[in-house]
Amino acid sequence: MKINNFIYILLAAYLATFLRLTINNNFFISLIGSFLVGFFISKRLSYAIEKTLVSGFFSCFTSFSGFIYFLYTILNQGDWIKFIIFFNLIIILNLFTMLFGYWISRKMT
């Protein structure tokens, strides 16, 4: 991989982090990120653009640590039922949102 690709990945990560801080809602961010991942993985992108989007932008934008922190706060309150419901709900909704993004992208082409 060329040095320019690393610079593009760093810039995409910076932009994603900035957007994540301005939105400041983990659930909404995860749904947007899942939709966009599904939308872009259905496209025939070059290797460099795919790595820039997936490794740079989406990995920083959807940030797994935000998801884990949200679940940790629920678990720390001792509410196991709420933890199990949110854990499953977030994963299922994100998978369907990603599938919907993939489907929309395929319908557009």
Side-chain angles (χ1 to χ4, degrees), residues 13 39-40 52 54 60 66-68 71-72 88 97-98 102 105:
F39 188 85
F40 284 111
T52 301
V54 174
C60 287
F67 169 66
I68 294 301
L71 292 175
Y72 171 75
N88 289 309
T97 304
M98 186 174 144
Y102 186 88
S105 178

Side-chain angles (χ1 to χ4, degrees), residues 35-83:
F35 177 82
L36 291 174
V37 167
F39 188 85
F40 284 111
I41 63 169
S42 72
K43 302 288 184 190
R44 305 247 177 193
L45 302 174
S46 70
Y47 178 78
I49 292 174
E50 182 181 327
K51 289 300 174 195
T52 301
L53 286 175
V54 174
S55 299
F57 186 81
F58 294 123
S59 64
C60 287
F61 184 68
T62 58
S63 182
F64 185 70
S65 61
F67 169 66
I68 294 301
Y69 179 72
F70 174 73
L71 292 175
Y72 171 75
T73 56
I74 293 172
L75 192 59
N76 204 21
Q77 296 168 355
D79 196 351
W80 284 90
I81 301 293
K82 188 176 179 181
F83 170 79

